[in-house]
Amino acid sequence: MNEADFIAALRNFPLHPGARGLNDDCAVIEVGGETLILTYDSMAEGTHWLPGQDMADVAWKLVASNLSDLASKGAEPVGVLLGHTLDGDEDRFLAGLQEVLNEYSVPLLGGDTICAKGPRTLGLTAIGRATHTPVPARSGAKVGDGVFVCGVIGDAMAGFHELTKANRARELGLEPEDADKASPYFAAKFLRPTPLIKEGQALARHVNAMMDVSDGLFLDASRMAKTSEVTFSLELDAVPHSSKFKDYASDGNQLDKSTKGWPCRLAACSWGDDYALLFTAPAKAQLPIECAKIGEVLAQTEHPLLVDGKAIASDELGYQHG
Amino acid sequence: MNEADFIAALRNFPLHPGARGLNDDCAVIEVGGETLILTYDSMAEGTHWLPGQDMADVAWKLVASNLSDLASKGAEPVGVLLGHTLDGDEDRFLAGLQEVLNEYSVPLLGGDTICAKGPRTLGLTAIGRATHTPVPARSGAKVGDGVFVCGVIGDAMAGFHELTKANRARELGLEPEDADKASPYFAAKFLRPTPLIKEGQALARHVNAMMDVSDGLFLDASRMAKTSEVTFSLELDAVPHSSKFKDYASDGNQLDKSTKGWPCRLAACSWGDDYALLFTAPAKAQLPIECAKIGEVLAQTEHPLLVDGKAIASDELGYQHG
């Protein structure tokens, strides 16, 4: 059973109304006169972080990925609960955790600490307060909306490739030479992503649908389109990249088999970890911050996602669990 | 670094006021005139469940252990977020999850599903609504209070021993014979614990301090005493057991090395998984349900816990992580 089947099975369970049919990044519950946003994300050793990676970066990413989910609902963080598995040496993890909580002024609420055998799994629950209701959902995209991205796509993929290129060189029987020197800019984008909290709050009142891009722009866009029962038509050239990534892509960097040899900019759209915000808004909306319009919302067709007018095959969409 | 050191380090972080200094089972947050209770518990394969164990029972225990934390705060469950790691075959896990959520009328709010390598770790966040404020804390025990237990101690330990006795017999070079037939009563108590939700709600307005007994009565009692800056004086004979456990204990069952050869009833007080409620209340409190008075709260001495007048060594207290 893969992730999609598992979640489909859970949809037959008794769901809280705030679960949004398990079609969203977060749960939304009304308490008293307020609206709380709840999210839960895990990271597993060997799957979500690289062997030997600095645990300070792992702690950062664990918190940042959850805060990014809150950002995509326009929420203000209230606190986090940490599910930690002890490693014996927690100093670097604690250092990174403190840095990220300080950076975003998020207090610790509690959690659980266990011992376990083998590769570890860390979990985090983040709680936020809605700054605008109705809270943006994945399901709200309307025919005629523009499709927008806040943030950039591709830096995280380049970071992963930079961090692993020495290993790839060795696999190809080459000497790593200066391949060991990963670009610090890209490495940081992969290791220490930035949750767009302020941007999410500024956008929440203007959008019809919003989510964060954690599993790849194409996959996440197709999920939003399906849940909204529409089709997204995107233009590859309109996808926003950092100037550093544009240089990187035009240098013809050789990417590994995980990108199936696709051109770098296309591959970046099927790669996760960017933590940009993907949203739709009325085409003439006056957005409070600069965002890239990457396409339009069309009436539903058999394909949830068109890129430059062509349907994207499901195995080209992005990272799918299991 | 062990669990205690890790939590001590976290206490230097920015904590939410509702984190209660990381000295409680749950976090307590005020939202829109209401009080929410949040808890997070994990279970790891090979540590918190036995190899080959029915995953339906694992799902039950994952939910029940979190609901027990809510029970200890007198909370009414609102919903749960599940952090699941895929195993390939999720049918039994899903069956058990549905059973426990139906049994306690708890809806699913959301969560996260991942793939990982090696033994898996599952996590759960449970959210509840306080039925009484102030919400009982671990830290509220007062000199002169009685110390009480709601529920019974020892059935879970007996269940574990019943479920593993065939393995122990083989380790000793004996034929398991009918040792393979674990007592269904005890096995169920270990595999499918009952969170005392109604009892916790009934008791909340009467207690000065309350927590659930998940790591062992002695260890949890010593934690409550320390956090409350008092000493608990307990009487071993007053600890409540089921009649089946009394028979089991008097049969002189040979326990394995995990109990260090202690007499069965003493060993049970150092063994977790009972999910009874431990609380203190004024000695003359009119409690709404029958509970066992197991001791008294004294002014703080150098020993947080006395049993039959004697201090208990720290390695006899119970299960400590890491």
Side-chain angles (χ1 to χ4, degrees), chain A residues 25-311:
Chain A
D25 310 78
C26 296
V28 177
I29 61 176
E30 312 288 332
V31 183
E34 295 219 47
T35 303
L36 282 191
I37 315 288
L38 302 159
T39 183
Y40 185 123
D41 262 349
S42 316
M43 289 176 69
E45 193 169 8
T47 304
H48 299 89
W49 74 84
L50 302 169
Q53 197 174 316
D54 182 354
M55 289 305 292
D57 293 333
V58 173
W60 179 288
K61 197 162 184 169
L62 179 66
V63 174
S65 63
N66 276 281
L67 295 182
S68 177
D69 282 325
L70 294 186
S72 76
K73 306 293 112 177
E76 171 195 19
V78 169
V80 298
L81 297 159
L82 169 69
H84 187 68
T85 303
L86 293 168
D87 184 30
D89 180 5
E90 320 301 327
D91 290 346
R92 292 298 302 154
F93 182 85
L94 284 164
L97 185 65
Q98 188 154 25
E99 276 183 84
V100 68
L101 294 178
N102 282 335
E103 177 72 22
Y104 299 107
S105 303
V106 180
L108 196 62
L109 269 164
D112 189 30
T113 306
I114 62 166
C115 291
K117 300 177 175 75
R120 292 168 301 143
T121 296
L122 309 177
L124 197 92
T125 293
I127 296 122
R129 205 181 292 269
T131 61
H132 176 76
T133 56
V135 174
R138 285 190 186 184
S139 59
K142 290 185 171 49
V143 174
D145 277 2
V147 181
F148 299 84
V149 167
C150 175
V152 292
I153 301 294
D155 284 358
M157 179 185 79
F160 178 84
H161 282 270
E162 286 287 302
L163 287 162
T164 55
K165 66 185 176 183
N167 289 342
R168 285 199 310 285
R170 287 189 199 96
E171 277 173 21
L172 294 168
L174 305 172
E175 273 303 300
E177 297 180 12
D178 51 17
D180 272 314
K181 290 185 224 118
S183 148
Y185 169 82
F186 288 126
K189 293 293 178 183
F190 175 76
L191 297 171
R192 297 210 170 196
T194 302
L196 302 177
I197 298 170
K198 295 286 174 219
E199 292 83 347
Q201 289 176 19
L203 290 167
R205 66 189 62 247
H206 300 278
V207 307
N208 283 330
M210 186 153 63
M211 67 189 292
D212 72 332
V213 180
S214 52
D215 288 342
L217 178 63
F218 287 168
L219 180 58
D220 288 331
S222 79
R223 286 171 172 160
M224 184 182 274
K226 274 186 205 168
T227 307
S228 298
E229 301 183 352
V230 295
T231 286
F232 282 7
S233 175
L234 307 186
E235 292 167 46
L236 189 59
D237 271 352
V239 173
H241 302 292
S242 67
S243 59
K244 282 201 164 55
F245 181 81
K246 285 180 197 159
D247 293 345
Y248 179 87
S250 65
D251 280 352
N253 268 283
Q254 191 185 344
L255 302 180
D256 72 10
K257 62 187 173 186
S258 72
T259 57
K260 301 178 188 172
W262 297 336
C264 195
R265 291 186 65 184
L266 184 60
C269 296
S270 303
W271 225 93
D273 291 316
D274 284 311
Y275 302 101
L277 297 176
L278 171 69
F279 64 95
T280 80
K284 293 184 176 171
Q286 300 287 317
L287 298 175
I289 49 176
E290 201 179 312
C291 300
K293 181 166 181 286
I294 63 165
E296 292 178 341
V297 180
L298 309 179
Q300 190 169 29
T301 69
E302 61 180 315
H303 303 296
L305 187 64
L306 305 173
V307 175
D308 295 341
K310 284 180 297 216

Side-chain angles (χ1 to χ4, degrees), chain B:
Chain B
M1 193 177 281
N2 65 16
E3 182 188 14
D5 295 335
F6 185 72
I7 294 172
L10 292 179
R11 288 203 181 96
N12 296 320
F13 280 38
L15 299 183
H16 192 286
R20 296 184 152 186
L22 304 182
N23 285 315
D24 217 301
D25 311 78
C26 296
V28 176
I29 61 176
E30 313 287 331
V31 184
E34 294 218 46
T35 303
L36 283 190
I37 314 288
L38 302 159
T39 182
Y40 185 122
D41 261 349
S42 316
M43 288 176 69
E45 193 169 8
T47 304
H48 298 88
W49 75 85
L50 302 169
Q53 197 173 317
D54 182 355
M55 289 304 292
D57 293 333
V58 174
W60 179 287
K61 197 161 184 169
L62 180 65
V63 174
S65 63
N66 276 280
L67 295 183
S68 177
D69 281 326
L70 294 186
S72 76
K73 306 294 113 178
E76 170 193 20
V78 168
V80 298
L81 298 159
L82 170 69
H84 187 68
T85 303
L86 292 168
D87 182 31
D89 179 6
E90 320 300 326
D91 291 345
R92 292 298 303 155
F93 182 84
L94 284 164
L97 185 65
Q98 189 154 25
E99 277 182 83
V100 68
L101 294 178
N102 282 335
E103 177 72 23
Y104 299 106
S105 303
V106 180
L108 196 62
L109 269 165
D112 189 30
T113 306
I114 63 166
C115 291
K117 299 176 176 77
R120 292 168 301 143
T121 296
L122 309 177
L124 197 92
T125 293
I127 297 121
R129 205 181 292 269
T131 61
H132 177 76
T133 55
V135 173
R138 285 190 186 184
S139 59
K142 290 184 170 49
V143 174
D145 277 1
V147 181
F148 298 84
V149 167
C150 175
V152 293
I153 301 296
D155 285 358
M157 179 186 78
F160 178 83
H161 280 270
E162 286 288 301
L163 286 163
T164 55
K165 66 183 175 184
N167 290 342
R168 286 198 311 285
R170 286 190 200 95
E171 277 173 20
L172 295 169
L174 305 172
E175 273 303 300
E177 298 180 13
D178 51 18
D180 272 314
K181 290 186 223 116
S183 150
Y185 168 83
F186 288 127
K189 294 294 179 183
F190 176 75
L191 296 170
R192 297 209 170 196
T194 301
L196 302 178
I197 298 171
K198 295 289 174 214
E199 291 84 348
Q201 289 176 21
L203 290 167
R205 67 188 62 246
H206 300 277
V207 307
N208 282 330
M210 187 153 62
M211 68 188 293
D212 72 333
V213 180
S214 54
D215 289 343
L217 178 63
F218 286 169
L219 180 57
D220 288 330
S222 79
R223 286 170 172 163
M224 184 183 273
K226 273 187 204 166
T227 308
S228 298
E229 301 183 352
V230 294
T231 286
F232 282 7
S233 175
L234 307 186
E235 291 167 47
L236 188 60
D237 270 351
V239 173
H241 303 293
S242 67
S243 58
K244 283 201 164 55
F245 181 80
K246 284 181 198 158
D247 292 344
Y248 180 86
S250 64
D251 280 354
N253 267 284
Q254 192 186 343
L255 302 180
D256 73 8
K257 62 187 175 187
S258 71
T259 57
K260 300 178 189 172
W262 296 337
C264 195
R265 292 184 65 185
L266 185 61
C269 295
S270 303
W271 224 92
D273 290 316
D274 284 310
Y275 301 103
L277 297 176
L278 171 70
F279 64 95
T280 79
K284 293 185 178 173
Q286 299 286 317
L287 299 176
I289 49 176
E290 201 180 312
C291 299
K293 180 165 182 283
I294 63 165
E296 292 179 340
V297 179
L298 310 179
Q300 190 168 30
T301 69
E302 62 180 312
H303 302 296
L305 187 63
L306 304 174
V307 176
D308 295 341
K310 285 181 297 218
I312 295 285
S314 64
D315 68 340
E316 294 176 304
L317 285 172
Y319 184 72
Q320 305 205 47
H321 309 281

